[in-house]
Amino acid sequence: MYDLFAQPLTVIPGIGAALEKRLAARGVRCLGDLLLHLPKDYLDDRCIQPVDRLTEGVSARICGRIVSRQARGYGRKRQVILTLADNSGQITLNFFHSGYMMTDARLCEGREISVRGIVERWRGNWQMNHPDWCVIEAFQPGFQPVYASLAGLGGKRICTLIRHVLTRVAAAESSLDHVLEDTWHLPSLGQALKRLHMPDTLDAEERAKALVRLKSEEVIVYLHLMREKKKQADCPALSLQGEQLSEQLLNSFPFPLTPAQQQVWGEISGDLQSGRRMHRLLQGDVGAGKTWVAALAMARVAGCGYQAALLAPTEVLAKQHADTLRELFAPFGLEVALLTGSTKAKLRREIIAGLRGNTLKLIVGTHALLTDDVVFHHLALALVDEQHRFGVRQRWALADKQHDDRNAIHLLGMTATPIPRTLALSLYGDMDLSMMHGMPPGRKPVETRVIAAHKMQPLADGMQRILDAGGRIYWIVPRIDEDEDGVSVDQRVDLLKGYFPAANVLGLHGRMKSQDKQTALEAFASGPCRIIVSTTVVEVGVDVPEAHLIVIEQAESYGLAQLHQLRGRVGRSSEQSYCMLIAGEQISETAMSRLKLMVHTHNGLELAEADLALRGGGDAVGTRQHGDAGFRLLNLAGDAGLIRQWFEALPDFAPDETMQRFWRPFAEATD
Ligand code: ADP
Ligand code: MG
């Protein structure tokens, strides 16, 4: 199965190099990736509705004969109007900007077609705008999957491509099929995929089972990897004695450590002296001050003459850490290097030489640190910031850069995605946990409100007040393709420029060149730009203390943990900060109560637990297409039960290399 999954998309007729590239940019690189693009909904196309039984505002499938075709307006922008009749009545079909349809022979008068669309009432007549259509011969009654568009491809096209892939993988098996079928009565992986993409029934239980089967594949592979790593965890490591440098650094901090920081630093320095490998996960809420504890650990290592490396999930964050650490270590004559995907070749060579030659003790970087040619003279400590963004393999990749076989490398993960303890044990059972409770003194909770999408003017007034008081503003747009619903970074930049001509509004998103990203962020952190419009690139770690307002559009499309992370971008000084959650127009009651939790709860762990309770662990199809915490499908809140289940009863089997590689978490694509 997995060797088929790994095949390139170009084996599908109709996918060429250009489309392949576009899909790759959206994280879809092979057949298996495409198969994980699951339908967001299904339409029941078994029943064809007679025109005289239609209901206004509801989607319907109609079959009929074209009795007239007319056009209004000129050129390509012409509106084409078809009248369709069945035995019971007539309906008007409007196609705007569709002049080309006037010459389509399949739409001549007298031809039979089938359409699907939302039924509307207009001047006493039925009509549909831009229905999906096909000639009657091509219409297959059944259940139609509805896909979110992807890299500019519409739902219909995606459906065709996925059906093609399904026929290719139909006969293949996963090595887990037998185990899960016999003991757990779950469908095979192939059946599960077919049930999700081409269902024979819309039975919710069947669908949930198929989804569980798919997700089980991911959990089980993950847990296996983790157990294997755990076996390697308890090995001897360097005992790092010598507190001078970390003591000096601590004394140079502009503030005393909070009690929570003190306690955690005590645990970490205990580990570092113990002579056993440290393998610890530091959980602390957004803004709790984890970076500073990390700096102390790095100082301890460098003070003993060894090397330390800090891995960050995005370039923006890596750069920011490098800046902070450089300032801290400069008085001690210690250089801090920065290595990312966009580091120039010459500088990269110098850095690598410095690491080999041990002239460089401290380095910060993105995944660029994990490539094979980055070799350390004597790496003693690997730190992984925002570790929930990395998969188990990447988290270990740095720690596997062992300098010899005798001593293992200390590993410290940091995360602000607070997950309930039982879940943490299943997910990170291979690590010791440290909790950092409490915030640096003087912080006020971020005042949070949920507002409606159309209330722009009052929002703009509020924004003006923040600007007048010298504050800066984040404006977050959802990470969706522009063609999906018309909201893009550029459009919002234009809109806000109109309202705030003096604020030097800039945009920021993951597909920008790294240099441009950096320039924009710097302009926002301390330059003329007072409003930044961004995707969730800024979600993790970015620290701009002058930002006092964050506006989040379509807030319901994020998980609560993610919203909490985003909100953590403000409230980083003693000023009062605000978070405005803009709710979509058609938001469900559950979604609304989730947003309201944000208003009253400011503690990340409480939020995570409340979210878990609200969703009851049974919400099989989450709000997002992909999973979180570096998983492709798994959703920490929704799938806690499943993770726990497999943690306690892990089937005995060994995932092979292709299988492991496929479930490699998507975190590799940064930003
Ligand atoms: P985290 O990584 O945990 O989200 P950071 O390490 O980025 O948090 O710290 C958040 C902010 O708090 C930074 O602006 C930092 O300067 C500040 N800070 C950290 N520790 C303290 C402290 N003990 N007292 C006051 N401010 C602190
Ligand atoms: Mg941080």
Side-chain angles (χ1 to χ4, degrees):
M1 182 72 97
Y2 285 94
D3 40 338
L4 288 173
F5 276 12
Q7 287 186 356
L9 294 166
T10 44
V11 303
I12 311 176
I15 297 192
L19 181 53
E20 181 185 35
K21 207 168 150 203
R22 259 175 30 226
L23 284 164
R26 309 294 298 155
V28 179
R29 298 189 179 80
C30 60
L31 298 188
D33 290 341
L34 191 59
L35 287 177
L36 292 194
H37 188 69
L38 299 176
K40 56 178 186 187
D41 201 358
Y42 301 87
L43 294 172
D44 186 348
D45 261 353
R46 285 170 314 172
C47 80
I48 296 164
Q49 302 227 318
V51 172
D52 67 351
R53 300 259 186 80
L54 295 176
T55 317
E56 192 175 353
V58 174
S59 169
R61 164 69 62 185
I62 303 175
C63 293
R65 190 175 297 278
I66 300 173
V67 292
S68 83
R69 170 165 71 173
Q70 297 167 329
R72 217 175 270 161
Y74 298 97
R76 288 191 58 240
K77 293 198 166 177
R78 273 196 299 185
Q79 176 187 355
V80 173
I81 305 154
L82 302 179
T83 309
L84 197 70
D86 67 6
N87 294 334
S88 69
Q90 291 196 345
I91 182 166
T92 306
L93 309 175
N94 292 312
F95 297 88
F96 303 98
H97 298 263
S98 305
Y100 60 90
M101 291 175 84
M102 285 307 284
T103 53
D104 192 326
R106 294 171 301 172
L107 296 172
C108 296
E109 282 172 24
R111 292 296 299 261
E112 274 189 82
I113 62 170
S114 175
V115 297
R116 151 79 69 184
I118 306 281
V119 178
E120 291 171 16
R121 198 81 179 149
W122 173 251
R123 298 199 170 143
N125 295 316
W126 293 116
Q127 70 164 27
M128 280 182 181
N129 292 327
H130 275 284
D132 250 1
W133 68 272
C134 62
V135 294
I136 199 79
E137 295 78 13
F139 171 62
Q140 293 171 341
F143 300 101
Q144 301 296 330
V146 182
Y147 294 96
S149 64
L150 184 67
L153 296 181
K156 250 172 142 180
R157 182 85 194 283
I158 293 173
C159 184
T160 316
L161 296 175
I162 286 182
R163 287 192 175 188
H164 181 91
V165 179
L166 280 175
T167 54
R168 268 177 186 263
V169 303
E173 286 183 357
S174 155
S175 44
L176 265 177
D177 280 346
H178 290 298
V179 188
L180 296 187
E181 230 167 312
D182 297 349
T183 330
W184 299 90
H185 310 294
L186 287 170
S188 71
L189 183 58
Q191 281 164 346
L193 285 167
K194 181 160 176 298
R195 271 187 211 174
L196 290 166
H197 288 292
M198 303 171 62
D200 299 324
T201 129
L202 284 194
D203 183 45
E205 210 169 301
E206 288 272 293
R207 207 166 73 223
K209 245 185 173 177
L211 206 60
V212 162
R213 174 64 186 83
L214 210 57
K215 288 180 172 179
S216 296
E217 197 97 355
E218 179 166 41
V219 190
I220 292 171
V221 171
Y222 170 84
L223 290 175
H224 264 284
L225 274 169
M226 195 184 75
R227 292 219 173 153
E228 205 151 284
K229 289 301 181 186
K230 186 172 168 61
K231 283 187 210 140
Q232 303 166 13
D234 289 330
C235 40
L238 277 175
S239 167
L240 297 165
Q241 309 276 359
E243 286 149 20
Q244 219 180 0
L245 186 60
S246 48
E247 280 300 310
Q248 284 170 349
L249 182 70
L250 179 56
N251 292 331
S252 77
F253 280 1
F255 37 67
L257 292 186
T258 63
Q261 282 170 320
Q262 270 171 27
Q263 191 206 326
V264 167
W265 171 231
E267 291 169 9
I268 292 170
S269 59
D271 284 352
L272 292 176
Q273 286 168 20
S274 70
R276 303 202 69 73
R277 165 182 249 181
M278 170 168 72
H279 192 211
R280 186 172 287 281
L281 175 62
L282 169 53
Q283 285 198 58
D285 214 339
V286 183
K290 295 182 290 295
T291 316
W292 299 75
V293 177
L296 291 174
M298 293 174 88
R300 170 68 53 83
V301 172
C304 296
Y306 302 110
Q307 292 169 307
L310 171 58
L311 180 66
T314 65
E315 280 199 45
V316 163
L317 190 54
K319 170 78 169 42
Q320 185 184 290
H321 280 327
D323 289 345
T324 310
L325 293 173
R326 274 171 185 156
E327 208 169 301
L328 284 176
F329 283 105
F332 305 98
L334 272 172
E335 195 188 334
V336 179
L338 172 67
L339 187 69
T340 69
S342 56
T343 304
K344 294 259 158 41
K346 180 160 171 282
L347 180 58
R348 185 166 192 280
R349 276 197 301 276
E350 284 169 20
I351 291 175
I352 290 178
L355 292 175
R356 272 178 199 273
N358 204 23
T359 49
L360 252 182
K361 302 275 189 227
L362 303 174
I363 186 157
V364 181
T366 56
H367 299 87
L369 276 179
L370 305 180
T371 50
D372 287 339
D373 57 339
V374 178
V375 179
F376 291 83
H377 176 78
H378 200 150
L379 182 65
L381 170 67
L383 303 110
V384 182
D385 195 20
E386 309 292 347
Q387 115 149 5
H388 58 282
R389 300 272 303 235
F390 296 93
V392 70
R393 285 166 144 264
Q394 294 152 319
R395 150 152 71 94
W396 279 87
L398 251 189
D400 283 342
K401 287 185 180 288
Q402 236 149 285
H403 65 285
D404 62 32
D405 323 326
R406 278 173 305 123
N407 287 314
I409 295 170
H410 295 289
L411 182 71
L412 178 65
M414 292 178 273
T415 181
T417 294
I419 47 180
R421 197 171 178 89
T422 51
L423 187 54
L425 282 177
S426 333
L427 277 179
Y428 304 119
D430 56 336
M431 307 187 90
D432 296 319
L433 295 180
S434 284
M435 291 296 281
M436 221 158 101
H437 294 290
M439 286 287 167
R443 299 280 178 79
K444 299 192 180 76
V446 178
E447 206 176 306
T448 305
R449 282 180 216 151
V450 182
I451 55 177
H454 54 270
K455 298 221 164 124
M456 184 60 199
Q457 195 52 52
L459 179 58
D461 296 343
M463 290 172 73
Q464 190 60 53
R465 283 194 292 277
I466 298 280
L467 294 176
D468 290 345
R472 296 172 191 265
I473 300 172
Y474 289 103
W475 184 291
I476 309 296
V477 296
R479 187 220 299 247
I480 330 184
D481 275 342
E482 193 174 329
D483 43 72
E484 215 161 278
D485 68 349
V487 181
S488 73
V489 170
D490 289 345
Q491 278 166 319
R492 282 303 180 247
V493 169
D494 289 343
L495 177 82
L496 293 173
K497 270 185 180 157
Y499 277 95
F500 308 102
N504 289 300
V505 185
L506 288 178
L508 180 72
H509 58 80
R511 274 176 262 172
M512 275 160 65
K513 283 210 201 86
S514 130
Q515 188 56 47
D516 297 343
K517 268 191 254 178
Q518 213 49 61
T519 315
L521 204 66
E522 269 159 28
F524 180 64
S526 54
C529 164
R530 309 284 301 282
I531 301 180
I532 197 159
V533 178
S534 169
T535 56
T536 49
V537 181
V538 299
E539 174 192 339
V540 289
V542 174
D543 191 25
V544 179
E546 269 180 36
H548 298 147
L549 168 63
I550 184 163
V551 180
I552 305 173
E553 274 195 79
Q554 290 181 24
E556 72 279 7
S557 61
Y558 303 94
L560 286 191
Q562 205 178 6
L563 284 178
H564 184 63
Q565 271 276 357
L566 284 167
R567 177 168 65 181
R569 297 310 106 222
V570 299
R572 301 187 146 246
S573 70
S574 51
E575 287 296 309
Q576 178 61 53
S577 289
Y578 303 87
C579 170
M580 297 292 157
L581 303 172
I582 305 186
E585 274 164 28
Q586 293 175 333
I587 162 175
S588 74
E589 250 170 69
T590 328
M592 197 49 153
S593 18
R594 287 176 65 236
L595 289 187
K596 295 231 167 98
L597 276 179
M598 292 291 298
V599 175
H600 304 294
T601 314
H602 294 270
N603 173 308
L605 191 60
E606 267 173 45
L607 267 179
E609 274 163 358
D611 197 17
L612 201 61
L614 201 63
R615 291 207 245 172
D619 171 26
V621 187
T623 42
R624 286 191 298 162
Q625 281 290 307
H626 55 73
D628 45 25
F631 290 109
R632 303 183 65 150
L633 291 171
L634 291 174
N635 206 294
L636 289 192
D639 297 321
L642 188 67
I643 296 169
R644 189 87 210 140
Q645 175 198 323
W646 290 129
F647 180 74
E648 278 161 10
L650 192 62
D652 186 20
F653 109 108
D656 66 21
E657 180 61 28
T658 50
M659 188 169 185
Q660 290 184 23
R661 198 171 320 125
F662 180 74
W663 289 108
R664 158 214 78 211
F666 67 89
E668 257 172 40
T670 53
D671 311 325

